[in-house]
């Protein structure tokens, strides 16, 4: 489902409800660039793999240079009664512009990479929709800075330094003295004709006051008439002087604050989704956004809307969301920069901060490549999903209002579609792995080169053995999979895992684990007998508390670095002798 900025507010309650009800949420991004190399001192020509810090430095540079153009989100619920996973994909263009009618003095500078533009253009990406239909956003850092600036402007008149008028500046002195006489005569009149007096340009009402003249009026009133106040009228054409009414002034400041908060809420846009995913503050969402303007009395809807919104927010606040993506490390860097703010300098601090916001993260690329070696075929999203196109156990279906991605040809590299593909891959791949899962003692986190990345022993329990993925010539060009709602009634059986150890299964078994279409040639009756005991996949992936997930949760695949893994739950600590002043958040 495509959501533009025209629909966003009225659809937000539905989106928040989907997130609150989801068993897990997948996301995907399209960016205006992903690499700032080459540059002096980079590692373009280095021999060997980079450290995780070096890789993070490149991600940080890219996130600070480029822009999220599109974000896809798929919320997936378990429906135990109907025995399927129900998916609701959303697709958002993300606009760097200020929201319509909002002036918060945001001025963002970002770049486009020509290679990224070429890639997106080949995949029919609409760059114009980023700016015409895109949903705005506002990071936490940007909101803090805007609020600080607003508060400073509110106190600005009281703290403003006085302008010193030179004794030989006769024109300025004449204007200043003339304003004083006008205000004094009006203020001393016991029964003035009006409860205000206007200060116009000396040359008449047809000439507007300039900024310098308006500031002189503010200064005079502030210093010499403390019971009066000055306000610019008609876009600063003239100044109006009135008596200070404490009640009216308080009401004026309240209206001004409400107007400012309304602008912040409108600018936040995509930020509301981020806050929902991390259990953040959603208190500024106005229930009035969701009332139907076409009904006879929209206000009658508000009590029910307020009740539902309060329930959704309470659920989101206490829920530990399961976040799933494919090749997530780069995406998380962009998510942090866009919705939180300045990226930490040290990768260890980045890992800590991401883990605090997203305590349960699963990377489907890591899921697919754990315990494999460098000779494993490509692990991109399309290739990994290919063997599961005809697999419907577990069954994952699209909600009837989200069927745009149900066609077999798909919309590769549209963020919403890729998030749906990630959801489908996650469900089917997890179930496939779990069907052959046997607890074993790990000697540490896996190394993509086949080495251990941990010096000590770990008691983590994990699936032993990697995946044999299909080679390029085994996959066709179509994508898709999954079923559109309403599917044929499914009746999966509760089948127990086999007891056969994987290390005694024949090579033909391993070769077809993720390629059901491949023909199995049994060299012996013994192999045929073992193949007949092939594990049966269950309808549901294991609960997140299951020991199966121990080796996968919070591990991100990082092929280019030593060890090949970024463990969010075990942040990299600065090495001995390396400076760490703790001031890089």
């Amino acid at each position: 489902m495509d959501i533009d900025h025209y629909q966003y507010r009225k659809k937000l309650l539905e989106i928040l409800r989907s997130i609150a009800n989801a068993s897990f949420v997948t996301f995907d991004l399209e960016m205006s660039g992903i690499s700032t190399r080459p540059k002096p001192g980079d590692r373009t020509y280095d021999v060997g793999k980079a450290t995780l810090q070096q890789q993070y430095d490149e991600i940080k540079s890219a996130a600070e240079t480029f822009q999220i153009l599109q974000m896809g989100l798929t919320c997936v619920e378990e429906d135990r009664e109907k025995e399927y996973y129900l998916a609701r994909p959303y697709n958002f263009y993300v606009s760097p512009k200020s929201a319509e009618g909002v002036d918060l003095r945001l001025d963002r500078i970002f770049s486009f990479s020509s290679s990224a533009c070429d890639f997106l253009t080949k995949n029919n990406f609409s760059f114009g929709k980023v700016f015409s239909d895109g949903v705005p956003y506002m990071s936490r850092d940007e909101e803090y800075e805007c609020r600080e600036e607003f508060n400073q402007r509110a106190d600005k008149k009281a703290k403003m330094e006085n302008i010193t008028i030179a004794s030989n500046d006769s024109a300025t002195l004449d204007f200043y003295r003339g304003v004083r006489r006008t205000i004094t005569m009006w203020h001393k009149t016991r029964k003035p004709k009006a409860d205000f007096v206007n200060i116009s340009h000396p040359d008449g009402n047809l000439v507007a006051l300039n900024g310098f003249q308006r500031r002189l009026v503010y200064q005079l009133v502030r210093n010499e008439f403390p019971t009066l106040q000055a306000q610019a009228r008609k876009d600063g054409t003239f100044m109006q002087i009135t008596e200070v009414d404490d009640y009216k002034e308080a009401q004026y400041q309240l209206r001004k604050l409400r107007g400012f908060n309304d602008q912040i809420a409108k600018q936040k846009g995509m930020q509301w989704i981020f806050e929902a995913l991390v259990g953040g503050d959603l208190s500024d969402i106005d229930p009035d956004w969701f009332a139907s303007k076409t009904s006879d009395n929209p206000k009658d809807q508000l009590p029910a809307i307020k009740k539902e919104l309060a329930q959704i927010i309470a659920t989101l606040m206490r829920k530990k969301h399961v976040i799933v993506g494919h090749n997530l490390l780069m995406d998380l860097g962009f998510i942090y920069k866009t919705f939180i703010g300045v990226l930490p300098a040290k990768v260890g601090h980045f890992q800590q901060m991401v883990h605090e916001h997203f305590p349960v993260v699963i990377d489907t690329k890591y899921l697919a490549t754990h315990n494999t070696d460098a000779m494993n075929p490509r692990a991109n999203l399309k290739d990994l999903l290919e063997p599961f196109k005809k697999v419907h156990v577990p069954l994952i279906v699209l909600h009837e209002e989200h069927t745009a991605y149900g066609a077999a040809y798909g919309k590769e590299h549209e963020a919403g579609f890729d998030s749906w593909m990630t959801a489908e891959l996650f469900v089917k791949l997890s179930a496939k792995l779990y069907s052959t899962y046997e607890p074993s003692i790990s000697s540490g986190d896996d190394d993509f080169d086949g080495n251990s990345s941990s010096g000590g022993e770990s008691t983590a329990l994990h699936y032993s053995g990697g995946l044999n993925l299909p080679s390029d010539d085994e996959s066709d060009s179509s994508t898709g999979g999954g079923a559109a709602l309403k599917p044929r009634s499914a009746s999966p059986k509760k089948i127990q895992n086999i007891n056969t150890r994987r290390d005694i299964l024949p090579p033909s078994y391993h070769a077809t684990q993720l390629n059901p279409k491949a023909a199995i040639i049994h060299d012996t009756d013994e192999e045929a007998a073992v193949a007949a005991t092939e594990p049966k996949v269950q309808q549901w992936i294991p609960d997140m508390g299951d020991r199966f997930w121990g080796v996968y949760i919070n591990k991100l695949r990082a092929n280019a670095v030593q060890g090949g893994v970024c463990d969010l739950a075990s942040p990299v600590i600065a090495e001995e002798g390396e400076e760490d002043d703790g001031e890089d958040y």
Side-chain angles (χ1 to χ4, degrees):
M1 179 183 288
D2 287 322
I3 305 290
D4 59 29
H5 72 87
Y6 303 105
Q7 305 169 290
Y8 183 76
R9 274 199 178 188
K10 61 183 178 182
K11 287 286 187 181
L12 181 58
L13 185 63
E14 172 193 323
I15 298 168
L16 296 179
R17 185 191 306 120
S18 296
I19 295 173
N21 292 335
S23 301
F24 63 89
V25 176
T26 63
F27 76 89
D28 185 77
L29 306 177
E30 299 297 338
M31 293 86 88
S32 65
I34 57 173
S35 176
T36 56
R37 288 193 291 168
K39 59 185 179 182
D42 77 354
R43 56 182 186 83
T44 305
Y45 303 106
D46 287 356
V47 176
K49 290 193 172 185
T51 64
L52 186 57
Q53 179 64 52
Q54 288 175 314
Q55 179 71 10
Y56 171 70
D57 288 342
E58 293 187 4
I59 292 171
K60 180 175 182 290
S61 176
E64 291 169 345
T65 304
F66 302 113
Q67 165 77 29
I68 295 177
L69 302 178
Q70 195 177 67
M71 181 172 177
L73 193 78
T74 296
C75 304
V76 182
E77 298 176 41
E78 281 186 10
D79 192 324
R80 292 277 175 168
E81 182 180 342
K82 297 180 180 178
E83 297 187 320
Y84 55 56
Y85 289 93
L86 187 63
R88 292 178 172 87
Y90 297 93
N91 186 60
F92 311 86
Y93 283 92
V94 181
S95 174
K97 299 192 309 175
S98 293
E100 187 175 348
V102 171
D103 182 15
L104 294 172
R105 306 185 185 184
L106 292 175
D107 187 18
R108 296 166 174 148
I109 300 173
F110 63 95
S111 302
F112 279 86
S113 160
S114 60
S115 60
C117 290
D118 289 343
F119 174 80
L120 292 172
T121 300
K122 289 175 183 176
N123 288 280
N124 301 312
F125 187 88
S126 177
F127 290 93
K129 286 187 176 181
V130 172
F131 303 101
S132 63
D133 296 352
V135 180
Y137 69 90
M138 186 179 212
S139 72
R140 289 178 175 179
D141 282 0
E142 286 174 328
E143 180 180 355
Y144 176 80
E145 290 169 3
C146 281
R147 291 192 180 280
E148 284 291 296
E149 185 180 346
F150 175 81
N151 293 333
Q152 289 174 7
R153 288 202 305 269
D155 294 340
K156 189 175 181 182
K157 295 172 188 175
K159 297 179 180 178
M160 189 181 298
E161 293 184 6
N162 286 334
I163 297 172
T164 301
I165 304 173
S167 58
N168 60 354
D169 188 351
S170 57
T172 301
L173 287 171
D174 289 343
F175 174 78
Y176 200 78
R177 291 164 180 162
V179 172
R180 181 189 288 122
R181 283 194 300 271
T182 300
I183 295 175
T184 301
M185 289 176 61
W186 167 79
H187 190 47
K188 286 186 176 181
T189 302
R190 291 190 175 184
K191 294 183 179 180
K193 295 180 180 180
D195 57 1
F196 63 86
V197 63
N198 294 334
I199 305 297
S200 303
H201 195 280
D203 294 336
N205 293 333
L206 297 179
V207 182
L209 293 172
N210 62 35
F212 178 69
Q213 290 169 323
R214 292 196 299 272
R215 186 174 172 185
L216 287 172
V217 175
Y218 280 126
Q219 176 177 309
L220 178 67
V221 171
R222 182 177 65 247
N223 293 340
E224 300 184 22
F225 302 94
T227 62
L228 304 179
Q229 63 184 357
Q231 294 176 307
R233 299 299 188 196
K234 286 193 176 180
D235 198 25
T237 302
F238 63 91
M239 300 292 290
Q240 189 170 90
I241 314 301
T242 59
E243 292 277 357
V244 174
D245 184 317
D246 292 336
Y247 176 77
K248 288 183 178 180
E249 178 65 16
Q251 292 298 307
Y252 169 74
Q253 292 299 335
L254 183 59
R255 289 195 301 273
K256 194 173 178 181
L257 178 60
R258 285 173 178 167
F260 174 75
N261 286 334
D262 286 345
Q263 290 203 54
I264 290 285
K266 191 173 182 180
Q267 181 63 43
K268 275 188 172 183
M270 293 298 294
Q271 183 71 20
W272 297 120
I273 292 178
F274 171 80
E275 297 297 344
L277 291 171
V278 301
D281 184 9
L282 300 171
S283 60
D284 288 340
I285 293 179
D286 187 350
D288 191 53
W289 299 347
F290 314 126
S292 174
K293 304 301 185 286
T294 59
S295 65
D296 294 335
N297 193 348
K299 296 297 182 184
D300 291 345
Q301 307 169 40
L302 285 180
I305 292 173
K306 288 179 179 179
K307 182 179 179 180
E308 182 182 9
L309 179 60
Q311 291 172 342
I312 289 172
I313 291 176
T315 299
L316 292 171
M317 290 288 288
R318 66 174 180 265
K319 189 171 183 177
K320 184 183 289 187
H321 297 276
V322 178
I323 306 298
V324 181
H326 188 76
N327 206 13
L328 266 177
L329 184 55
M330 176 72 73
D331 286 1
L332 287 172
F334 273 82
I335 288 289
Y336 192 108
K337 176 63 175 67
T338 302
F339 297 118
I340 298 177
V342 178
L343 282 156
K346 302 293 175 59
V347 66
H349 292 161
F350 170 73
Q351 291 169 281
Q352 289 174 348
M353 292 295 288
V354 170
H355 188 50
E356 285 179 15
H357 288 85
F358 300 112
V360 183
V361 174
I362 298 176
D363 182 356
T364 51
K365 186 169 183 177
Y366 183 83
L367 196 66
T369 58
H370 172 61
N371 271 1
T372 59
D373 57 31
M375 295 299 101
N376 198 59
R378 291 184 303 177
N380 63 55
L381 185 57
K382 179 180 176 180
D383 289 343
L384 286 172
L385 189 58
E386 175 65 25
F388 295 106
K389 284 168 52 181
K390 305 292 186 182
V391 174
H392 298 305
V393 178
L395 182 62
I396 179 169
V397 303
L398 290 166
H399 188 275
E400 57 189 356
E401 296 179 2
H402 296 254
T403 55
Y405 298 142
Y409 57 83
K411 297 180 180 179
E412 295 92 340
H413 303 296
E414 180 174 286
F417 180 73
D418 284 356
S419 72
W420 153 240
M421 287 175 58
T422 301
E424 187 178 0
L425 175 64
F426 173 63
V427 167
K428 295 178 178 180
L429 177 57
S430 299
K432 186 73 172 179
L433 291 172
Y434 191 60
S435 71
T436 56
Y437 163 68
E438 288 185 4
S440 64
I441 302 299
S442 169
S443 60
D445 291 338
D446 77 304
D447 186 318
F448 199 58
D449 298 322
N451 302 318
S452 171
S453 63
S454 173
E457 290 191 356
S458 168
T459 58
L461 293 160
H462 68 284
Y463 165 80
S464 58
L467 299 175
N468 293 286
L469 305 178
S471 58
D472 295 339
D473 57 0
E474 289 175 330
S475 60
D476 57 44
S477 60
S478 64
T479 62
L485 199 73
K486 304 169 181 175
R488 191 158 50 98
S489 178
S491 55
K493 299 178 181 178
K494 302 297 183 182
I495 302 174
Q496 298 299 319
N497 292 338
I498 62 169
N499 295 320
T500 308
R501 286 180 52 85
R502 297 190 78 257
D503 54 9
I504 66 171
L505 293 176
S508 58
Y509 170 80
H510 294 272
T512 58
Q513 277 298 282
L514 282 182
N515 192 3
K517 297 186 293 183
I520 302 178
I521 301 175
H522 303 300
D523 296 330
T524 67
D525 292 339
E526 181 183 355
E527 288 189 1
V530 174
T533 66
E534 180 176 336
K536 302 300 181 181
V537 176
Q538 299 186 39
Q539 170 58 29
W540 309 109
I541 63 175
D543 183 84
M544 283 297 149
D546 195 288
R547 292 183 298 174
F548 165 79
W549 294 111
V551 75
Y552 298 119
I553 287 179
N554 295 320
K555 307 289 199 313
L556 310 181
R557 178 56 70 204
N559 291 345
V561 307
Q562 300 164 9
V565 182
C566 173
D567 188 346
L568 296 176
S570 299
V572 175
I573 306 301
E575 296 180 1
E576 186 176 352
E578 185 179 352
E579 292 186 5
D580 187 356
D581 54 19
E583 297 180 353
D584 52 3
Y585 280 94

